[in-house]
Amino acid sequence: MALILSIETSTSVCSLALHDSGNLVGVVELHQDNVHSQKLMLLIEDLMNRSGFKSENLKAVAVSSGPGSYTGLRIGVSVAKGFAFAHDIPLIAVDTLLALAKRVVPLVNSSGKIVPMLDARRMEVYTAVYDYQLNTIEKLSPRVIEEGNPFLDYLNQGQVYFLGDGVEKLRSLLEHPSSVLLKWGPSALTLGELAFDKYQREEFEDLAYFEPNYLKDFRVISSKKNLLLS
């Protein structure tokens, strides 16, 4: 048995899953803003209880490594590190966009492409491009998309699946006969599947030094009248 707890908190959705050797045991998701710090531990406890396991049964804990919400990633990684340290089990980090892209793989044919997008405020998104086997075509990067469709070359070759919370604000720019626009967001379901692959390869993180990939610096801009976090 290789029981892995997966924690996905890179967006407003708090998603948790248990997989046993890559097979889903249980999942719980809470779609509510600004509740990660209050609800995450309670959701983990509920998931473990309903699945009939104890935290002592875990062989590893996996966490979404970013990019995404600074606060969400920080909370998820802190909790994952705590579990790994307390139970002397490995910590596994899974790229957020890769796990998001994996959600749509069953729908994509050999000529299709997958473009996960996470909202990075204003007209900027965190994005990457993958083929139907999740091979990276364009590496993860922050991109400002203000006019035109930057993915026309791929759309002219076949269907392109856009998914994530960055899609909706760019919908008018992404619409095309070959576009498939999905509102699906990151989920611990696919994070756990990828985590088991890493578990088998023993690709573990150093608890002392691992930090999530925020991709952009966290900035605090203050004045006498307001405090802006970005």
Side-chain angles (χ1 to χ4, degrees):
M1 182 180 74
L3 190 68
I4 299 176
L5 170 67
S6 297
I7 301 173
E8 166 54 69
T9 57
S10 64
T11 66
S12 60
V13 178
C14 189
S15 178
L16 303 167
L18 274 178
H19 288 81
D20 184 1
S21 300
N23 299 308
L24 181 65
V25 175
V27 62
V28 59
E29 294 187 339
L30 180 62
H31 295 250
Q32 190 174 343
D33 291 337
N34 303 317
V35 297
H36 294 352
S37 60
Q38 296 91 356
K39 300 289 187 179
L40 183 54
M41 290 302 298
L42 294 175
L43 291 173
I44 292 174
E45 182 179 1
D46 179 60
L47 176 61
M48 299 298 293
N49 289 337
R50 288 193 290 109
S51 300
F53 290 102
K54 297 181 179 180
S55 55
E56 290 79 9
N57 301 130
L58 294 172
K59 298 298 183 182
V61 58
V63 67
S64 181
S65 64
S69 159
Y70 176 92
T71 302
L73 289 171
R74 180 174 54 80
I75 292 170
V77 168
S78 295
V79 170
K81 281 186 173 184
F83 264 83
F85 180 79
H87 300 289
D88 193 25
I89 55 177
L91 174 68
I92 301 171
V94 178
D95 181 272
T96 304
L97 290 182
L98 182 64
L100 175 55
K102 185 173 175 59
R103 295 197 65 182
V104 79
V105 164
L107 304 180
V108 184
N109 61 32
S110 59
S111 64
K113 302 296 184 293
I114 307 171
V115 182
M117 290 182 167
L118 293 181
D119 191 350
R121 299 181 183 173
R122 300 182 180 87
M123 295 304 287
E124 188 173 18
V125 293
Y126 302 128
T127 189
V129 181
Y130 302 94
D131 69 11
Y132 73 108
Q133 294 180 318
L134 291 183
N135 297 308
T136 302
I137 299 173
E138 290 190 22
K139 293 181 179 180
L140 163 66
S141 66
R143 298 182 66 166
V144 177
I145 305 176
E146 294 181 321
E147 58 182 23
N149 190 323
F151 304 100
L152 281 177
D153 287 345
Y154 300 122
L155 288 163
N156 291 331
Q157 299 170 23
Q159 285 190 314
V160 178
Y161 292 78
F162 299 95
L163 68 164
D165 64 5
V167 171
E168 194 60 32
K169 73 176 182 180
L170 300 178
R171 178 174 291 272
S172 62
L173 299 178
L174 299 176
E175 287 181 343
H176 184 278
S178 297
S179 293
V180 181
L181 306 179
L182 302 169
K183 294 183 179 180
W184 301 354
S187 172
L189 288 169
T190 48
L191 191 149
E193 294 169 1
L194 292 170
F196 180 61
D197 294 338
K198 284 196 160 190
Y199 178 83
Q200 291 179 300
R201 298 191 298 267
E202 297 187 356
E203 294 182 15
F204 306 138
E205 303 298 329
D206 187 312
L207 282 182
Y209 296 103
F210 174 72
E211 293 290 338
N213 180 13
Y214 298 118
L215 207 59
K216 293 196 301 185
D217 291 335
F218 182 67
R219 296 177 294 122
V220 179
I221 306 171
S222 61
S223 70
K224 294 181 180 180
K225 294 183 178 180
N226 58 58
L227 178 66
L228 172 63
L229 303 183
S230 63

